[in-house]
Amino acid sequence: MDVTTLEKLEFGKIMEQLALRAYSEGGRELALKLQPSTGINEVRNSLDETQEAMSLLHFGEPSFLGSLKPVGKQLGKARIAGILSASELYDVYRLLRVSRLTLKYCSNASTPLINAIAADISDNHNLEKQLLDAIAEEGVLRDDASPALKNIRKQVETARQRIKEYLQNFIRLGNNQSLLQESLITERAGRYVVPVKQEHRHNVKGIVHDESASGATVYIEPLAVVELNNKIRTLEIEEKREVERILRELSSEVAFAADDLLLNLKILSNLDMIFARAHLAFDMNAYRPLVNDKGRIEISRARHPLLGSQAIPINVTLGKSFDILVITGPNTGGKTVVLKTIGLLTVMAMCGLFIPARENSEISVFNNIFVDIGDEQSIEQSLSTFSSHLKNIIYILSKVDANSLVLLDELGAGTDPVEGAALARAILEALKEKHARVVITTHQSELKTFAYQNQRVENACVEFNPVTLKPTYELTIGTPGQSNAFEIALRLGLNESLVQKARELVPEREMEIGNMIRQLKESRYNFDISSQKLEEGQRNLARELELLENEKARFDNEQFNLLQRAKQEADSYVRQIKREANEAIDELKELLKEKSQPPKWHEVEKKSKKIKDLQVTISVAEDPHTVHDIKVGDYVLVKSINQTGYVLEGPNAQGDMAIQIGSVKLTVAKEQLQPAVAALTEEKIVQPQRATFLDKTKHISPEIDLRGKYADDALNDLDKYLEDANLAGLSQAQVIHGKGTGALRTAVRSYLKGHRYIREFRDGMREEGGYGVTVIYFK
């Protein structure tokens, strides 16, 4: 890819943002050298790596990469038998430690590409332990790096303590107080001395090592400690030889593993850069694009990655129904930003970076991207603005092919409008013949006509509010734009008479076209507003209709239940009356047996039958469904016993149907069945769910992922999960809420406090996901 193209698209700023998110110096160097790939398989592979890195970051940060140091020079020095210092060896230890931690971090089965990259890392545990045992974190050899070194340093320390004890006693002696400038012990040239006044230098026997700048103080080493100081110096020489021996041995071990360590460093730097790509995607709220090599671009709600929250989302299509897009519109309307957004997002995708656009946006992989943006006039080369643009276009025309993306800003500008427009048309025709994908911006009206007159060419404009006369920076494909120079001039305060005179000077045909476009845009603007209001009205109507249907179902259910209850109460009352009447008749019969002239028995039986036939008839509204509609699987009401159940088998020869009511199976006449009403139908859905609930609890996950949800929705899901988990008998579980702004984490923790099922909760460990996870323990 041409370096000039990347510079004009400001891709260097993207690389700088990427470098800031790398942990190590090696990762930052790779980020600043990032180049787009022209192979679609390589691009897809890079996007896969970024996606896997994002999934790993959900469970914890690989912050250990931050301790990685560039040890290439140290390893090279060791390979030629050089002796590394203790601090250099400790940097090698850091490399070994990071290698081991990376292998553990990248052992997730769901990230095969990153696992494959990390698989080539060598884990030299023995060398790592050797270096850690010998060298402290401060980059110095430990005392126990070897028995000899430990013994030497112990002797040195003992000698120093004896010298200090003697000198402390020397200072405390009353006779010596007057000889000393200060009552302290100091060092000169590595030997312990005391500060003596100049006039008493001959009263203290010893060796003079130094004197103060004023000459008032001399630093004398008393004769009594000279031998001990000499011993310390001898021991220090022995210590130096032992340290050099240890460092030589350790350097030799490092040299033996240097090739593997250099490979580890390269792999770790690459992984660091991949994780930086993932961090950048999170920070930009970017999504993975679909990629193709057919020259097809279709990005939805794309935002310029360098404008942050100020970026206006745009929708861009290219390479499907048209290959050349001609963008027109007023100055400062955002045309150049559209060009840069298309180019920059294409380059980012080709580098394996996610793009700030909606999911499933599509980007093509091009062999070349050519850009001519900005004013490049050069005094040194005697080039005007027009000349510099033309020089770039000549170069582009010599290199462009069918697998190229060309972005041209202000094509045909900087010269006579008529000649510039004619030249621009000729250039577009040449690019069209080469089947390149082209996006241009222009003020030339003739190019709007060119789009209408040629296939595979389309007009577009940056939106301009016809009411407020201010740019909206949105891109509309299919409609040409206009400069709106007269309206802008009026808004800025230019005399209205001058503006009117200018209008009259515009050719009539141009004026008609301009008015037509303006009216079309105003009509479209009003249509969009009306469409939005209509859609909102339809949504409100749908909500109200749903509420009405629910209310009707509830009313029908209440009516049915009320009538059924009334019928049951009336039947119960009639049964009681019948029972009492039968008792009275039995008593009457007994009394009549004792009478001399008993009444005829058939009269008594007739009255008894009349009492037995007593019943209450209540008019119950029938369900709109008929008995003939009942089929296997329906949920029905058995009217004779007022119980509900499922139809298991269809009517037999006698017209009876098999009904399952709870655990009981009954055979009931079809006339005794009635379809259940709406409220009962809901139980039809609930019953099977209850039947399989215990099976579901056997397979409940020990974690719930709430990322990407609003707090209310997340808490509803969490409440259901806690019910299931408690019933399943889980002892602990993980709630994955992510880090983000911390709002969801706060909401989850507030909800868990005092929950009836929760005994306690804590933040996740680093390997569990850190602050992005809350681990809960059930009672």
Side-chain angles (χ1 to χ4, degrees), residues 139-179:
V140 295
L141 278 181
R142 300 178 186 272
D143 290 348
D144 54 358
S146 74
L149 182 62
K150 185 175 183 180
N151 182 49
I152 292 171
R153 288 182 174 176
K154 185 176 180 180
Q155 292 183 59
V156 170
E157 185 62 26
T158 300
R160 284 176 176 166
Q161 288 297 328
R162 290 176 61 186
I163 292 173
K164 289 180 181 179
E165 288 175 4
Y166 175 84
L167 294 179
Q168 288 288 353
N169 293 330
F170 179 84
I171 291 172
R172 292 193 190 100
L173 287 175
N175 295 336
N176 294 336
Q177 290 287 330
S178 59
L179 306 177

mmCIF file of all heavy atoms in Angstrom, residues 139-179:
data_model
loop_
_atom_site.group_PDB
_atom_site.id
_atom_site.type_symbol
_atom_site.label_atom_id
_atom_site.label_comp_id
_atom_site.label_asym_id
_atom_site.label_seq_id
_atom_site.Cartn_x
_atom_site.Cartn_y
_atom_site.Cartn_z
ATOM 1 N N GLY A 139 17.565 -6.214 40.444
ATOM 2 C CA GLY A 139 18.592 -6.415 39.430
ATOM 3 C C GLY A 139 19.974 -6.606 40.018
ATOM 4 O O GLY A 139 20.973 -6.247 39.385
ATOM 5 N N VAL A 140 20.060 -7.163 41.229
ATOM 6 C CA VAL A 140 21.355 -7.449 41.857
ATOM 7 C C VAL A 140 21.376 -8.925 42.258
ATOM 8 O O VAL A 140 20.336 -9.537 42.481
ATOM 9 C CB VAL A 140 21.598 -6.566 43.106
ATOM 10 C CG1 VAL A 140 21.694 -5.109 42.706
ATOM 11 C CG2 VAL A 140 20.480 -6.763 44.135
ATOM 12 N N LEU A 141 22.606 -9.480 42.356
ATOM 13 C CA LEU A 141 22.730 -10.878 42.750
ATOM 14 C C LEU A 141 22.324 -11.054 44.213
ATOM 15 O O LEU A 141 22.683 -10.255 45.084
ATOM 16 C CB LEU A 141 24.167 -11.359 42.560
ATOM 17 C CG LEU A 141 24.587 -11.793 41.151
ATOM 18 C CD1 LEU A 141 26.025 -12.244 41.162
ATOM 19 C CD2 LEU A 141 23.686 -12.898 40.634
ATOM 20 N N ARG A 142 21.577 -12.107 44.455
ATOM 21 C CA ARG A 142 21.212 -12.427 45.835
ATOM 22 C C ARG A 142 22.441 -12.938 46.588
ATOM 23 O O ARG A 142 23.377 -13.467 45.985
ATOM 24 C CB ARG A 142 20.125 -13.499 45.862
ATOM 25 C CG ARG A 142 18.835 -13.110 45.154
ATOM 26 C CD ARG A 142 17.845 -14.276 45.217
ATOM 27 N NE ARG A 142 16.663 -14.013 44.437
ATOM 28 C CZ ARG A 142 15.573 -13.378 44.893
ATOM 29 N NH1 ARG A 142 15.553 -12.937 46.160
ATOM 30 N NH2 ARG A 142 14.520 -13.176 44.119
ATOM 31 N N ASP A 143 22.421 -12.811 47.923
ATOM 32 C CA ASP A 143 23.537 -13.299 48.736
ATOM 33 C C ASP A 143 23.700 -14.806 48.582
ATOM 34 O O ASP A 143 24.820 -15.325 48.610
ATOM 35 C CB ASP A 143 23.305 -12.962 50.207
ATOM 36 C CG ASP A 143 23.424 -11.460 50.456
ATOM 37 O OD1 ASP A 143 23.902 -10.749 49.550
ATOM 38 O OD2 ASP A 143 23.008 -11.013 51.541
ATOM 39 N N ASP A 144 22.551 -15.531 48.419
ATOM 40 C CA ASP A 144 22.631 -16.991 48.334
ATOM 41 C C ASP A 144 22.698 -17.475 46.895
ATOM 42 O O ASP A 144 22.315 -18.604 46.582
ATOM 43 C CB ASP A 144 21.438 -17.627 49.050
ATOM 44 C CG ASP A 144 20.109 -17.080 48.540
ATOM 45 O OD1 ASP A 144 20.120 -16.184 47.666
ATOM 46 O OD2 ASP A 144 19.054 -17.541 49.023
ATOM 47 N N ALA A 145 23.174 -16.621 45.983
ATOM 48 C CA ALA A 145 23.352 -17.062 44.602
ATOM 49 C C ALA A 145 24.359 -18.200 44.526
ATOM 50 O O ALA A 145 24.294 -19.035 43.626
ATOM 51 C CB ALA A 145 23.809 -15.893 43.726
ATOM 52 N N SER A 146 25.307 -18.226 45.474
ATOM 53 C CA SER A 146 26.233 -19.355 45.605
ATOM 54 C C SER A 146 26.713 -19.376 47.050
ATOM 55 O O SER A 146 26.737 -18.338 47.725
ATOM 56 C CB SER A 146 27.422 -19.199 44.647
ATOM 57 O OG SER A 146 28.319 -18.205 45.112
ATOM 58 N N PRO A 147 27.130 -20.554 47.554
ATOM 59 C CA PRO A 147 27.636 -20.619 48.941
ATOM 60 C C PRO A 147 28.853 -19.720 49.154
ATOM 61 O O PRO A 147 28.985 -19.090 50.210
ATOM 62 C CB PRO A 147 28.000 -22.103 49.112
ATOM 63 C CG PRO A 147 27.146 -22.815 48.109
ATOM 64 C CD PRO A 147 27.030 -21.886 46.941
ATOM 65 N N ALA A 148 29.752 -19.644 48.174
ATOM 66 C CA ALA A 148 30.955 -18.821 48.324
ATOM 67 C C ALA A 148 30.584 -17.348 48.443
ATOM 68 O O ALA A 148 31.135 -16.614 49.275
ATOM 69 C CB ALA A 148 31.887 -19.042 47.126
ATOM 70 N N LEU A 149 29.647 -16.887 47.593
ATOM 71 C CA LEU A 149 29.242 -15.484 47.648
ATOM 72 C C LEU A 149 28.577 -15.171 48.979
ATOM 73 O O LEU A 149 28.813 -14.092 49.561
ATOM 74 C CB LEU A 149 28.287 -15.186 46.485
ATOM 75 C CG LEU A 149 27.804 -13.738 46.368
ATOM 76 C CD1 LEU A 149 28.974 -12.794 46.119
ATOM 77 C CD2 LEU A 149 26.762 -13.583 45.259
ATOM 78 N N LYS A 150 27.784 -16.082 49.452
ATOM 79 C CA LYS A 150 27.124 -15.867 50.730
ATOM 80 C C LYS A 150 28.141 -15.739 51.853
ATOM 81 O O LYS A 150 28.022 -14.868 52.731
ATOM 82 C CB LYS A 150 26.172 -17.035 51.004
ATOM 83 C CG LYS A 150 25.339 -16.862 52.267
ATOM 84 C CD LYS A 150 24.336 -17.999 52.404
ATOM 85 C CE LYS A 150 23.459 -17.788 53.633
ATOM 86 N NZ LYS A 150 22.463 -18.886 53.778
ATOM 87 N N ASN A 151 29.201 -16.603 51.842
ATOM 88 C CA ASN A 151 30.234 -16.569 52.873
ATOM 89 C C ASN A 151 31.034 -15.269 52.804
ATOM 90 O O ASN A 151 31.329 -14.640 53.828
ATOM 91 C CB ASN A 151 31.157 -17.772 52.697
ATOM 92 C CG ASN A 151 32.222 -17.835 53.775
ATOM 93 O OD1 ASN A 151 31.942 -17.722 54.960
ATOM 94 N ND2 ASN A 151 33.466 -17.995 53.336
ATOM 95 N N ILE A 152 31.392 -14.844 51.595
ATOM 96 C CA ILE A 152 32.174 -13.607 51.433
ATOM 97 C C ILE A 152 31.396 -12.409 51.960
ATOM 98 O O ILE A 152 31.920 -11.579 52.711
ATOM 99 C CB ILE A 152 32.547 -13.414 49.952
ATOM 100 C CG1 ILE A 152 33.551 -14.496 49.512
ATOM 101 C CG2 ILE A 152 33.129 -12.029 49.719
ATOM 102 C CD1 ILE A 152 33.809 -14.509 48.012
ATOM 103 N N ARG A 153 30.148 -12.302 51.549
ATOM 104 C CA ARG A 153 29.346 -11.142 51.976
ATOM 105 C C ARG A 153 29.090 -11.157 53.479
ATOM 106 O O ARG A 153 29.000 -10.096 54.104
ATOM 107 C CB ARG A 153 28.022 -11.119 51.205
ATOM 108 C CG ARG A 153 28.212 -10.720 49.740
ATOM 109 C CD ARG A 153 26.901 -10.640 48.980
ATOM 110 N NE ARG A 153 27.094 -10.115 47.638
ATOM 111 C CZ ARG A 153 26.145 -10.014 46.725
ATOM 112 N NH1 ARG A 153 24.894 -10.417 47.030
ATOM 113 N NH2 ARG A 153 26.394 -9.509 45.529
ATOM 114 N N LYS A 154 29.035 -12.366 54.050
ATOM 115 C CA LYS A 154 28.871 -12.455 55.502
ATOM 116 C C LYS A 154 30.122 -11.946 56.208
ATOM 117 O O LYS A 154 30.031 -11.218 57.217
ATOM 118 C CB LYS A 154 28.586 -13.914 55.887
ATOM 119 C CG LYS A 154 28.283 -14.091 57.366
ATOM 120 C CD LYS A 154 27.917 -15.535 57.670
ATOM 121 C CE LYS A 154 27.606 -15.699 59.158
ATOM 122 N NZ LYS A 154 27.250 -17.106 59.484
ATOM 123 N N GLN A 155 31.302 -12.300 55.687
ATOM 124 C CA GLN A 155 32.552 -11.820 56.282
ATOM 125 C C GLN A 155 32.678 -10.305 56.147
ATOM 126 O O GLN A 155 33.115 -9.622 57.075
ATOM 127 C CB GLN A 155 33.755 -12.496 55.604
ATOM 128 C CG GLN A 155 33.880 -13.987 55.886
ATOM 129 C CD GLN A 155 35.127 -14.563 55.250
ATOM 130 O OE1 GLN A 155 36.249 -14.123 55.547
ATOM 131 N NE2 GLN A 155 34.943 -15.547 54.374
ATOM 132 N N VAL A 156 32.291 -9.777 54.992
ATOM 133 C CA VAL A 156 32.345 -8.327 54.784
ATOM 134 C C VAL A 156 31.460 -7.630 55.795
ATOM 135 O O VAL A 156 31.852 -6.628 56.413
ATOM 136 C CB VAL A 156 31.927 -7.969 53.344
ATOM 137 C CG1 VAL A 156 31.750 -6.463 53.206
ATOM 138 C CG2 VAL A 156 32.967 -8.471 52.349
ATOM 139 N N GLU A 157 30.257 -8.164 55.979
ATOM 140 C CA GLU A 157 29.322 -7.531 56.914
ATOM 141 C C GLU A 157 29.863 -7.593 58.347
ATOM 142 O O GLU A 157 29.739 -6.627 59.114
ATOM 143 C CB GLU A 157 27.964 -8.234 56.814
ATOM 144 C CG GLU A 157 26.865 -7.590 57.653
ATOM 145 C CD GLU A 157 26.566 -6.168 57.248
ATOM 146 O OE1 GLU A 157 26.802 -5.797 56.069
ATOM 147 O OE2 GLU A 157 26.096 -5.392 58.111
ATOM 148 N N THR A 158 30.465 -8.718 58.685
ATOM 149 C CA THR A 158 31.031 -8.855 60.048
ATOM 150 C C THR A 158 32.149 -7.838 60.264
ATOM 151 O O THR A 158 32.211 -7.171 61.313
ATOM 152 C CB THR A 158 31.574 -10.277 60.243
ATOM 153 O OG1 THR A 158 30.511 -11.218 60.065
ATOM 154 C CG2 THR A 158 32.173 -10.439 61.637
ATOM 155 N N ALA A 159 33.031 -7.697 59.279
ATOM 156 C CA ALA A 159 34.133 -6.740 59.401
ATOM 157 C C ALA A 159 33.612 -5.318 59.517
ATOM 158 O O ALA A 159 34.126 -4.505 60.298
ATOM 159 C CB ALA A 159 35.069 -6.875 58.203
ATOM 160 N N ARG A 160 32.597 -4.994 58.764
ATOM 161 C CA ARG A 160 32.039 -3.645 58.818
ATOM 162 C C ARG A 160 31.416 -3.355 60.180
ATOM 163 O O ARG A 160 31.529 -2.250 60.717
ATOM 164 C CB ARG A 160 31.002 -3.466 57.707
ATOM 165 C CG ARG A 160 31.630 -3.269 56.328
ATOM 166 C CD ARG A 160 30.588 -3.200 55.234
ATOM 167 N NE ARG A 160 31.213 -2.925 53.948
ATOM 168 C CZ ARG A 160 30.632 -3.067 52.786
ATOM 169 N NH1 ARG A 160 29.360 -3.523 52.742
ATOM 170 N NH2 ARG A 160 31.267 -2.776 51.672
ATOM 171 N N GLN A 161 30.749 -4.342 60.738
ATOM 172 C CA GLN A 161 30.146 -4.146 62.052
ATOM 173 C C GLN A 161 31.222 -3.922 63.119
ATOM 174 O O GLN A 161 31.057 -3.065 64.002
ATOM 175 C CB GLN A 161 29.294 -5.375 62.424
ATOM 176 C CG GLN A 161 28.006 -5.497 61.621
ATOM 177 C CD GLN A 161 27.074 -4.321 61.864
ATOM 178 O OE1 GLN A 161 27.020 -3.745 62.947
ATOM 179 N NE2 GLN A 161 26.352 -3.944 60.801
ATOM 180 N N ARG A 162 32.337 -4.658 63.019
ATOM 181 C CA ARG A 162 33.419 -4.487 63.999
ATOM 182 C C ARG A 162 34.042 -3.102 63.869
ATOM 183 O O ARG A 162 34.356 -2.450 64.876
ATOM 184 C CB ARG A 162 34.486 -5.565 63.778
ATOM 185 C CG ARG A 162 33.995 -6.962 64.169
ATOM 186 C CD ARG A 162 35.031 -8.026 63.840
ATOM 187 N NE ARG A 162 36.280 -7.790 64.584
ATOM 188 C CZ ARG A 162 37.400 -8.487 64.409
ATOM 189 N NH1 ARG A 162 37.407 -9.469 63.497
ATOM 190 N NH2 ARG A 162 38.477 -8.225 65.114
ATOM 191 N N ILE A 163 34.218 -2.614 62.598
ATOM 192 C CA ILE A 163 34.772 -1.272 62.395
ATOM 193 C C ILE A 163 33.837 -0.222 62.991
ATOM 194 O O ILE A 163 34.274 0.712 63.682
ATOM 195 C CB ILE A 163 35.012 -1.012 60.898
ATOM 196 C CG1 ILE A 163 36.142 -1.899 60.382
ATOM 197 C CG2 ILE A 163 35.320 0.450 60.634
ATOM 198 C CD1 ILE A 163 36.331 -1.827 58.874
ATOM 199 N N LYS A 164 32.544 -0.370 62.727
ATOM 200 C CA LYS A 164 31.576 0.616 63.224
ATOM 201 C C LYS A 164 31.537 0.625 64.737
ATOM 202 O O LYS A 164 31.427 1.692 65.367
ATOM 203 C CB LYS A 164 30.185 0.313 62.646
ATOM 204 C CG LYS A 164 30.067 0.622 61.165
ATOM 205 C CD LYS A 164 28.662 0.288 60.655
ATOM 206 C CE LYS A 164 28.539 0.584 59.161
ATOM 207 N NZ LYS A 164 27.199 0.235 58.645
ATOM 208 N N GLU A 165 31.638 -0.573 65.342
ATOM 209 C CA GLU A 165 31.632 -0.633 66.812
ATOM 210 C C GLU A 165 32.843 0.090 67.385
ATOM 211 O O GLU A 165 32.733 0.843 68.361
ATOM 212 C CB GLU A 165 31.616 -2.097 67.261
ATOM 213 C CG GLU A 165 30.282 -2.800 67.013
ATOM 214 C CD GLU A 165 30.356 -4.269 67.362
ATOM 215 O OE1 GLU A 165 31.421 -4.719 67.871
ATOM 216 O OE2 GLU A 165 29.358 -4.984 67.127
ATOM 217 N N TYR A 166 34.028 -0.155 66.774
ATOM 218 C CA TYR A 166 35.228 0.521 67.277
ATOM 219 C C TYR A 166 35.110 2.031 67.125
ATOM 220 O O TYR A 166 35.410 2.787 68.059
ATOM 221 C CB TYR A 166 36.474 0.020 66.524
ATOM 222 C CG TYR A 166 37.722 0.772 66.913
ATOM 223 C CD1 TYR A 166 38.460 0.407 68.055
ATOM 224 C CD2 TYR A 166 38.154 1.869 66.156
ATOM 225 C CE1 TYR A 166 39.579 1.129 68.416
ATOM 226 C CE2 TYR A 166 39.269 2.588 66.522
ATOM 227 C CZ TYR A 166 39.994 2.217 67.667
ATOM 228 O OH TYR A 166 41.092 2.940 68.033
ATOM 229 N N LEU A 167 34.666 2.480 65.930
ATOM 230 C CA LEU A 167 34.576 3.921 65.689
ATOM 231 C C LEU A 167 33.511 4.572 66.564
ATOM 232 O O LEU A 167 33.668 5.728 66.972
ATOM 233 C CB LEU A 167 34.292 4.190 64.209
ATOM 234 C CG LEU A 167 35.422 3.789 63.229
ATOM 235 C CD1 LEU A 167 35.006 4.083 61.799
ATOM 236 C CD2 LEU A 167 36.707 4.558 63.574
ATOM 237 N N GLN A 168 32.423 3.843 66.854
ATOM 238 C CA GLN A 168 31.410 4.396 67.766
ATOM 239 C C GLN A 168 32.011 4.613 69.149
ATOM 240 O O GLN A 168 31.779 5.660 69.788
ATOM 241 C CB GLN A 168 30.208 3.437 67.857
ATOM 242 C CG GLN A 168 29.331 3.393 66.617
ATOM 243 C CD GLN A 168 28.504 4.654 66.432
ATOM 244 O OE1 GLN A 168 28.477 5.531 67.315
ATOM 245 N NE2 GLN A 168 27.871 4.767 65.281
ATOM 246 N N ASN A 169 32.784 3.651 69.606
ATOM 247 C CA ASN A 169 33.441 3.811 70.914
ATOM 248 C C ASN A 169 34.468 4.943 70.856
ATOM 249 O O ASN A 169 34.622 5.702 71.831
ATOM 250 C CB ASN A 169 34.128 2.506 71.323
ATOM 251 C CG ASN A 169 33.114 1.402 71.597
ATOM 252 O OD1 ASN A 169 31.984 1.684 72.027
ATOM 253 N ND2 ASN A 169 33.516 0.152 71.371
ATOM 254 N N PHE A 170 35.159 5.062 69.705
ATOM 255 C CA PHE A 170 36.154 6.128 69.554
ATOM 256 C C PHE A 170 35.478 7.505 69.652
ATOM 257 O O PHE A 170 36.020 8.428 70.284
ATOM 258 C CB PHE A 170 36.845 5.965 68.188
ATOM 259 C CG PHE A 170 37.876 7.017 67.890
ATOM 260 C CD1 PHE A 170 39.180 6.885 68.365
ATOM 261 C CD2 PHE A 170 37.542 8.150 67.160
ATOM 262 C CE1 PHE A 170 40.127 7.870 68.092
ATOM 263 C CE2 PHE A 170 38.477 9.130 66.895
ATOM 264 C CZ PHE A 170 39.784 8.987 67.356
ATOM 265 N N ILE A 171 34.333 7.624 69.052
ATOM 266 C CA ILE A 171 33.628 8.921 69.061
ATOM 267 C C ILE A 171 33.110 9.248 70.449
ATOM 268 O O ILE A 171 33.128 10.413 70.881
ATOM 269 C CB ILE A 171 32.460 8.890 68.040
ATOM 270 C CG1 ILE A 171 32.997 8.853 66.610
ATOM 271 C CG2 ILE A 171 31.528 10.087 68.217
ATOM 272 C CD1 ILE A 171 31.932 8.618 65.560
ATOM 273 N N ARG A 172 32.679 8.219 71.200
ATOM 274 C CA ARG A 172 32.068 8.462 72.506
ATOM 275 C C ARG A 172 33.087 8.847 73.570
ATOM 276 O O ARG A 172 32.721 9.421 74.593
ATOM 277 C CB ARG A 172 31.316 7.208 72.961
ATOM 278 C CG ARG A 172 30.081 6.896 72.116
ATOM 279 C CD ARG A 172 29.229 5.841 72.809
ATOM 280 N NE ARG A 172 28.190 5.344 71.939
ATOM 281 C CZ ARG A 172 28.244 4.209 71.264
ATOM 282 N NH1 ARG A 172 29.358 3.448 71.374
ATOM 283 N NH2 ARG A 172 27.260 3.838 70.495
ATOM 284 N N LEU A 173 34.371 8.513 73.376
ATOM 285 C CA LEU A 173 35.372 8.844 74.390
ATOM 286 C C LEU A 173 35.416 10.355 74.621
ATOM 287 O O LEU A 173 35.457 11.133 73.657
ATOM 288 C CB LEU A 173 36.754 8.343 73.957
ATOM 289 C CG LEU A 173 36.962 6.817 74.034
ATOM 290 C CD1 LEU A 173 38.322 6.439 73.458
ATOM 291 C CD2 LEU A 173 36.844 6.351 75.476
ATOM 292 N N GLY A 174 35.399 10.736 75.857
ATOM 293 C CA GLY A 174 35.359 12.166 76.177
ATOM 294 C C GLY A 174 36.551 12.924 75.641
ATOM 295 O O GLY A 174 36.427 14.078 75.202
ATOM 296 N N ASN A 175 37.745 12.305 75.663
ATOM 297 C CA ASN A 175 38.946 12.998 75.195
ATOM 298 C C ASN A 175 38.890 13.269 73.696
ATOM 299 O O ASN A 175 39.526 14.205 73.200
ATOM 300 C CB ASN A 175 40.200 12.158 75.520
ATOM 301 C CG ASN A 175 40.409 12.013 77.025
ATOM 302 O OD1 ASN A 175 39.932 12.847 77.796
ATOM 303 N ND2 ASN A 175 41.097 10.952 77.429
ATOM 304 N N ASN A 176 38.159 12.400 72.973
ATOM 305 C CA ASN A 176 38.123 12.544 71.512
ATOM 306 C C ASN A 176 37.053 13.526 71.026
ATOM 307 O O ASN A 176 37.076 13.923 69.853
ATOM 308 C CB ASN A 176 37.882 11.182 70.858
ATOM 309 C CG ASN A 176 39.048 10.219 71.088
ATOM 310 O OD1 ASN A 176 40.181 10.659 71.321
ATOM 311 N ND2 ASN A 176 38.764 8.927 71.045
ATOM 312 N N GLN A 177 36.094 13.872 71.884
ATOM 313 C CA GLN A 177 34.997 14.746 71.459
ATOM 314 C C GLN A 177 35.519 16.091 70.949
ATOM 315 O O GLN A 177 35.022 16.634 69.959
ATOM 316 C CB GLN A 177 34.028 14.985 72.625
ATOM 317 C CG GLN A 177 33.208 13.766 73.013
ATOM 318 C CD GLN A 177 32.137 13.455 71.981
ATOM 319 O OE1 GLN A 177 31.643 14.343 71.321
ATOM 320 N NE2 GLN A 177 31.824 12.175 71.833
ATOM 321 N N SER A 178 36.545 16.597 71.622
ATOM 322 C CA SER A 178 37.058 17.905 71.229
ATOM 323 C C SER A 178 37.884 17.837 69.935
ATOM 324 O O SER A 178 38.124 18.871 69.301
ATOM 325 C CB SER A 178 37.934 18.480 72.351
ATOM 326 O OG SER A 178 39.015 17.607 72.623
ATOM 327 N N LEU A 179 38.330 16.622 69.561
ATOM 328 C CA LEU A 179 39.145 16.491 68.363
ATOM 329 C C LEU A 179 38.299 16.425 67.079
ATOM 330 O O LEU A 179 38.798 16.741 65.993
ATOM 331 C CB LEU A 179 40.007 15.220 68.439
ATOM 332 C CG LEU A 179 40.897 15.065 69.680
ATOM 333 C CD1 LEU A 179 41.636 13.728 69.631
ATOM 334 C CD2 LEU A 179 41.903 16.223 69.759
#
